[in-house]
Amino acid sequence: FQIEVPPLRKRCEDIEELAKGILKRFNDLYGKNIETLDLDVINAFKNKQNLEKDLFKKLHKINNNKPIVTIFPHAFSDAPHCNEEMLFNDYYSFFKQTIKFANKITNVNWLVKPHPSSYMYGEVGEVEKMIKKYSNLNLLDSSVSTKTVLSFSENIITVSGTVGLEFSCLGKKPIIAGHSVYSGFNIALEPKNMISYKKILSNLTDSFELSPDELIIAKSVMYWYHIGAFPKSSFLPR
């Protein structure tokens, strides 16, 4: 069915409410909020450090002005075949092939952040072992908050993780290698084949910033996905 909707800015006049939703997501205390049931959020944000950029670069031995690009692998065993529009066979293939190709690209600083909930699937240490043989890839320090990583990354790569939506709320388009809840809104780079995917990865010094209207859309999707979709209800509790 079709409905008539007012212009974008008319629909998003209450930007304050959207902004509060985004801040709630990024706030260090959000992981301690009893209302949230999202273990990935708790594991990514709770008891983590927020660092200044100079300290962040020093910690990861980055001593140049090349852009920082962070790869966010999924938990390999977490429903790896549920994404019918993924460019790869599964999450493991995505990571294995991406790091192999990324290692050849030397005009950016590559960081890798293992999925915060990988321990739930018996995968602790797997990502670390996979990147050991690649000299251009560095493991992200586990004590650093995802908020810090997103703030200092020029771009990030995921299949369909909500970390891509978080990144778009900071004003930049993530690269996603599969269908996600935020697909189709023009707030992410969505290559349709491997040729396009590798072309984007080869040009990561380019800027992929969101327009003001696209940023409103990103924040709106974040709000409705994490907050607006859960109205208080005694009949159907969260």
Side-chain angles (χ1 to χ4, degrees), residues 172-189:
K172 298 177 183 178
K173 293 185 179 183
I175 301 161
I176 61 175
H179 182 78
S180 184
V181 294
Y182 50 91
S183 292
F185 291 99
N186 200 33
I187 59 175
L189 298 174

Side-chain angles (χ1 to χ4, degrees), residues 67-78:
I68 297 169
V69 179
T70 307
I71 302 171
F72 286 83
H74 292 246
F76 300 137
S77 306
D78 182 11

